[in-house]
């Protein structure tokens, strides 16, 4: 007879996966909720600016879809960030009827400062841990980070894949 009990305390693999997901979400939520926010910006605002910094100029429709908000909501956010000097609108070189939005240098500077604030805040707390706990946290995060990056990438759905396999280039 197989033993279906495992180290996470569950008895079914799906239950274990849900427990692990809940634990990761709890860690993420704790960090996000406690992070200093001297700029008073929402998570959606920070996420939007960060996405534009990482991925480059985007159409508002694509940005709204990527951030999981409606186009009218994204349009309002873009207008607010544009007034604050954190974003600019550019003509889309492929379609002059629409605009792209891009992070300004002021937006990049604010994002960098926000990251430094978070690193300083969390660094103070980590430094206060006993050395053994700090070492355990270091090892756990270094082991988990590549895996977390992997599981947070968009899933590739089989239906989206072409039916034919391209032959290797010579």
């Amino acid at each position: 007879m197989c033993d279906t009990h495992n180290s996470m305390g569950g008895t079914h693999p799906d239950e274990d996966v849900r427990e692990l997901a809940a634990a990761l979400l709890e860690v993420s939520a704790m960090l996000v909720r406690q992070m200093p926010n001297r700029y008073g910006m929402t998570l959606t605002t920070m996420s939007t600016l960060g996405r534009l910094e990482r991925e480059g100029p985007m159409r508002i429709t694509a940005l709204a879809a990527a951030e999981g908000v409606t186009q009218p909501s994204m349009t309002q956010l873009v207008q607010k960030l544009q007034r604050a000097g954190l974003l600019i609108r550019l003509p889309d070189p492929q379609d002059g009827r629409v605009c792209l939005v891009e992070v300004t240098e002021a937006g990049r500077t604010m994002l960098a400062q926000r990251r430094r604030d978070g690193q300083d805040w969390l660094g103070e707390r980590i430094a206060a841990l006993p050395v053994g706990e700090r070492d355990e946290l270091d090892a756990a995060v270094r082991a988990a980070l590549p895996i977390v990056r992997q599981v947070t990438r968009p899933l590739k759905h089989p239906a989206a894949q072409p039916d034919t396999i391209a032959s290797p280039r010579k």
Side-chain angles (χ1 to χ4, degrees):
M1 181 180 231
C2 290
D3 180 10
T4 59
H5 189 76
N6 63 44
S7 64
M8 299 259 336
T11 57
H12 188 277
D14 288 342
E15 182 179 324
D16 296 336
V17 169
R18 284 192 299 273
E19 287 178 22
L20 178 57
L24 285 170
L25 289 171
E26 181 180 355
V27 168
S28 174
M30 282 190 291
L31 290 171
V32 168
R33 282 189 202 118
Q34 298 299 316
M35 191 76 63
N37 186 0
R38 77 162 96 169
Y39 299 102
M41 295 196 173
T42 66
L43 290 176
T44 301
T45 300
M46 297 307 297
S47 178
T48 298
L49 287 169
R51 180 178 302 278
L52 289 168
E53 182 183 46
R54 284 186 313 277
E55 298 179 18
M58 297 176 75
R59 289 182 177 191
I60 290 176
T61 52
L63 188 56
E67 291 296 321
V69 299
T70 65
Q71 184 176 347
S73 294
M74 184 56 69
T75 298
Q76 287 180 343
L77 178 57
V78 164
Q79 290 169 345
K80 176 183 165 189
L81 294 173
Q82 189 176 8
R83 283 191 303 271
L86 303 175
L87 290 181
I88 58 170
R89 290 180 189 238
L90 309 165
D92 185 335
Q94 297 176 346
D95 184 348
R97 298 170 296 171
V98 296
C99 289
L100 301 175
V101 290
E102 181 177 41
V103 176
T104 63
E105 195 54 43
R108 283 182 173 68
T109 299
M110 190 272 306
L111 284 168
Q113 184 60 52
R114 167 111 178 179
R115 287 183 194 108
R116 283 190 299 275
D117 290 349
Q119 290 165 352
D120 291 347
W121 172 83
L122 193 53
E124 288 175 14
R125 282 146 183 83
I126 293 169
L129 291 172
V131 173
E133 288 181 13
R134 191 177 333 148
D135 290 345
E136 287 178 25
L137 180 61
D138 180 58
V141 170
R142 288 181 191 277
L145 189 56
I147 300 166
V148 171
R149 284 181 176 142
Q150 179 182 346
V151 300
T152 57
R153 287 188 192 117
L155 292 175
K156 294 181 181 170
H157 297 287
Q161 300 299 317
D163 291 330
T164 59
I165 299 174
S167 58
R169 293 183 184 200
K170 295 183 181 183

